[in-house]
Amino acid sequence: MDNTELLTRFNLTRHEATIYLTLLSDGDLNGYEVSKITGISRSNAYASLASLVEKGAAFIIEGETTRYTPVPVEEFCGNKIRSLQESKQELIKNIPQRREDAEGYITITGEHRIMDKMRNMISESKSRVYLSVSGNILPELLPEMQAAHQRGIKMVVITDTPFPQEGMTVHVLEKPKKQVRIIVDSTTVLTGDIDEGEFSTCLYSGKKNVVDLLKESLQNEIKVVEMMRGFEAK
């Protein structure tokens, strides 16, 4: 993902992101100079510059001609994140109480959404997490796993590569590279495949029969690991 695409995640349009990057690389500029450098029409350049000021990505330098200077990217992104965090807390405080989790089967598609769901499941765990994934996925979940462990959550991991983590139980077993399975607090599960981006699909459920089925499957995987260790010890 390039810088322009990343900046659109901070509420900038592609034109605004392009101009912001130009200000960062070329220094203080007026609207005419921005238009000439970027190839964006002068009217769109001026409109985008005004919007950048409004969105907190640039400041105006007054003079014979109005020039624009960029807000440092760390400051700009930090302000956006802080504002979102404040909005989040306000929503949590004022939003109506949510209903109980749906008892059916929820389909989650797309790699990013699946990873976000796994991170949230680990972060919201209250007692234990059983996680069965390939080693290439684990680093992306590690911050949430470590935070959960520090909260006293029991972490059991089944993966295909050595993954030493203090206080976590790790079982090494060859696994399908795309498969992910997680059980949290023996109440909710997520199972499916992380494929190519939007083609990834997982099932999320709190149904007892699904939880019990997946729990039995993971217990069988752990038994296989223990049997293999026994053979190796002979």
Side-chain angles (χ1 to χ4, degrees):
M1 188 176 296
D2 64 18
N3 291 333
T4 300
E5 187 68 25
L6 287 170
L7 285 167
T8 63
R9 296 190 171 190
F10 287 84
N11 197 34
L12 298 186
T13 67
R14 296 193 71 83
H15 273 178
E16 291 165 1
T18 298
I19 292 173
Y20 178 60
L21 291 169
T22 301
L23 291 175
L24 287 170
S25 62
D26 288 41
D28 307 338
L29 300 170
N30 61 33
Y32 170 77
E33 292 167 333
V34 165
S35 176
K36 186 175 181 180
I37 293 170
T38 63
I40 297 171
S41 70
R42 195 179 301 184
S43 59
N44 285 337
Y46 278 108
S48 295
L49 284 165
S51 185
L52 284 174
V53 172
E54 184 179 343
K55 293 179 178 180
F59 294 124
I60 294 175
I61 301 175
E62 299 291 354
E64 292 184 7
T65 61
T66 300
R67 303 179 74 80
Y68 299 83
T69 189
V71 173
V73 67
E74 185 174 353
E75 181 180 338
F76 167 64
C77 293
N79 289 340
K80 285 291 185 182
I81 292 169
R82 183 168 54 253
S83 177
L84 284 171
Q85 289 287 0
E86 292 170 355
S87 297
K88 170 189 171 182
Q89 294 305 319
E90 193 70 17
L91 282 169
I92 290 172
K93 184 172 67 175
N94 296 322
I95 211 75
Q97 290 293 315
R98 71 174 186 175
R99 300 174 303 161
E100 292 297 320
D101 287 339
E103 295 184 356
Y105 307 100
I106 300 172
T107 300
I108 301 175
T109 59
E111 181 176 351
H112 291 300
R113 288 181 286 275
I114 291 170
M115 293 300 299
D116 282 343
K117 188 62 176 176
M118 294 176 72
R119 293 185 183 102
N120 290 331
M121 289 175 72
I122 295 169
S123 296
E124 294 169 7
S125 59
K126 294 179 174 60
S127 58
R128 65 183 66 87
V129 174
Y130 285 80
L131 179 63
S132 178
V133 297
S134 62
N136 63 310
I137 294 174
L138 282 172
E140 298 187 50
L141 300 172
L142 188 56
E144 288 75 22
M145 293 168 64
Q146 291 175 332
H149 170 63
Q150 291 171 2
R151 291 189 288 113
I153 304 300
K154 178 182 179 182
M155 295 288 307
V156 178
V157 181
I158 304 171
T159 188
D160 55 1
T161 56
F163 188 73
Q165 290 294 317
E166 184 178 353
M168 300 184 195
T169 302
V170 179
H171 301 283
V172 179
L173 180 68
E174 187 173 342
K175 300 185 57 57
K177 290 292 184 184
K178 300 175 182 178
Q179 188 182 73
V180 297
R181 295 188 288 179
I182 180 173
I183 305 175
V184 172
D185 300 331
S186 296
T187 58
T188 55
V189 303
L190 181 77
T191 180
D193 296 316
I194 290 185
D195 205 332
E196 295 295 330
E198 292 303 309
F199 294 100
S200 304
T201 303
C202 279
L203 177 75
Y204 173 80
S205 180
K207 277 188 168 291
K208 186 177 184 302
N209 62 326
V210 180
V211 173
D212 289 345
L213 183 64
L214 192 57
K215 186 187 297 184
E216 182 179 353
S217 175
L218 295 186
Q219 287 172 344
N220 288 336
E221 286 191 17
I222 293 172
K223 288 178 182 177
V224 169
V225 174
E226 291 172 345
M227 288 174 58
M228 292 173 62
R229 286 176 182 165
F231 285 130
E232 291 171 356
K234 290 181 180 180

